[in-house]
Amino acid sequence: MLTLHRVRGVRLVPDGEPAAGPAVLVDGGRIAAIGPYEELLAAYGMGVPPGRAQSRALGRARVREWDGVLTPGRAEPDGAALLEAVYHPDPREAGELGSEPIGGAALAALDMTEARWGASARRGLQRLLALGTTALTGPFTRPAVRTAVQRSGLAEVPGGRPRALTVGGAADFAVFAEDGSALVTVLAGRLVHRRR
């Protein structure tokens, strides 16, 4: 399925300058095109006669509009510490443990089974996705945490830098508002977080 993401700008690398007016076309889990919105809409958008469409979807790209800048997303260099050295409480434990991550002596006092580490990691990953994280650094030594990371779709990268956005590359990116908050996080072409 084709999805055309229209944004205020696109940064191909995390620290790059945003180009005005572009859009990103996603085909499945890959970036199919990066360019001016009007050109991509004319080539792939709804209502394009099938004979003129430049895609296998015959001009049926879904359009999503975001009021922000599309980037490769955040890379979390402390992924292992955030998921294996702190506990992310279950909302049902908020009365007893609070809602913020727990470490140190408070963590040592908890009965941490593998299942509990896995559930904590899933909640921690949800927090990271809400921040626009598309990559993180391991290694992850706890089996339940490693499984949660693998299932999340987040790329594990050495050095803590997300991949640059390229045509043919993975459709892993985030869109950030002017205030720096993540509007949406996309992994392998799928919306995995959307700000409410």
Side-chain angles (χ1 to χ4, degrees):
M1 166 177 273
L2 292 176
T3 304
L4 181 58
H5 295 271
R6 182 181 192 181
V7 292
R8 284 189 287 114
V10 173
R11 283 191 177 112
L12 300 179
V13 295
D15 301 331
E17 285 297 314
V24 172
L25 180 71
V26 173
D27 186 358
R30 303 307 239 177
I31 295 175
I34 302 171
Y37 172 73
E38 292 77 16
E39 289 178 20
L40 295 177
L41 182 65
Y44 301 96
M46 295 295 284
V48 175
R52 296 196 53 213
Q54 300 176 13
S55 73
R56 63 179 167 77
L58 300 176
R60 295 204 176 105
R62 169 181 50 203
V63 176
R64 294 197 180 266
E65 296 191 32
W66 311 107
D67 187 22
V69 175
L70 190 147
T71 76
R74 286 183 68 249
E76 180 50 68
D78 297 321
L82 286 171
L83 299 176
E84 293 190 332
V86 296
Y87 175 68
H88 299 269
D90 186 300
R92 296 170 293 192
E93 300 171 312
E96 177 187 349
L97 301 176
S99 60
E100 294 302 311
I102 298 170
L107 174 62
L110 296 176
D111 178 28
M112 293 300 294
T113 63
E114 264 310 291
R116 199 168 186 190
W117 274 116
S120 170
R122 288 188 295 279
R123 290 186 293 274
L125 290 163
Q126 289 170 352
R127 287 177 182 231
L128 291 173
L129 293 171
L131 295 172
T133 304
T134 57
L136 70 168
T137 301
F140 300 99
T141 58
R142 296 183 190 281
V145 173
R146 189 170 43 250
T147 298
V149 170
Q150 290 168 345
R151 289 181 177 171
S152 75
L154 282 165
E156 191 176 337
V157 294
R161 285 193 60 84
R163 298 177 279 232
L165 298 177
T166 59
V167 173
D172 295 344
F173 55 84
V175 179
F176 293 96
E178 274 188 46
D179 66 3
S181 63
L183 299 173
V184 64
T185 305
V186 174
L187 297 177
R190 293 179 7 256
L191 285 174
V192 293
H193 167 76
R194 184 176 186 174
R195 187 169 78 181
R196 296 180 191 261

